[in-house]
Amino acid sequence: MSWPSSVAIRFLTLEQIHAIHRDMVARYGGEPGVLNASMVESAAAMPQAGFGDSYFHSFPFGMAAAYAFHLAANHGFADGNKRVGFVAADVFLELNGWELPEAGEAGFRDLILAAAAGAGNKADIEAFLAEHAVRTA
């Protein structure tokens, strides 16, 4: 399902994604830095991808899933890719009036781990978010 691009969606910037990475490394440890800038840029752009006046990913869950899946699977950062994918999706949802209750975080984490290992898919992440996220605004 596409979403008209005329709707005001708050996407994360590349700078915000890098800030999330720095924060995750500072909080939980790991190697700072970027292994492949193109992979980070590609993952950051995926939720905004579209054709004409429609996006390829549904709003908000398909777009959040795109952040989570591509940041985790692309392995663009030296370390923390799964955490960055998880947090980027969560922040995107929050920016757009949704939240993932803590009770759903463990299942979401499992989907991110599967995506990073090449065993998961974006559709499963989207379905999980649609089932568990709660509207806040």
Side-chain angles (χ1 to χ4, degrees):
M1 178 174 129
S2 64
W3 193 264
S5 61
S6 60
V7 173
I9 299 171
R10 296 179 67 188
F11 291 103
L12 298 174
T13 66
L14 184 58
E15 292 77 23
Q16 288 171 314
I17 290 172
H18 281 281
I20 290 169
H21 177 254
R22 287 189 302 274
D23 181 59
M24 293 295 98
V25 169
R27 284 178 191 233
Y28 304 108
E31 185 73 27
V34 176
L35 287 179
N36 187 322
S38 295
M39 294 302 265
V40 175
E41 291 168 15
S42 173
M46 286 304 293
Q48 298 179 58
F51 183 77
D53 66 349
S54 295
Y55 294 105
F56 292 145
H57 299 92
S58 65
F59 174 77
F61 308 116
M63 292 173 175
Y67 281 118
F69 179 84
H70 292 287
L71 286 164
N74 281 9
H75 303 287
F77 292 108
D79 203 0
N81 294 286
K82 295 179 289 293
R83 289 175 293 206
V84 172
F86 181 95
V87 173
D90 193 42
V91 169
F92 172 79
L93 287 173
E94 287 180 22
L95 286 172
N96 289 285
W98 295 84
E99 70 177 21
L100 184 63
E102 286 185 33
E105 287 184 2
F108 187 36
R109 190 175 309 110
D110 291 342
L111 291 168
I112 300 291
L113 291 169
N121 66 63
K122 209 173 358 179
D124 288 345
I125 297 171
E126 179 179 2
F128 180 89
L129 293 172
E131 181 179 341
H132 292 90
V134 177
R135 186 84 166 128
T136 61

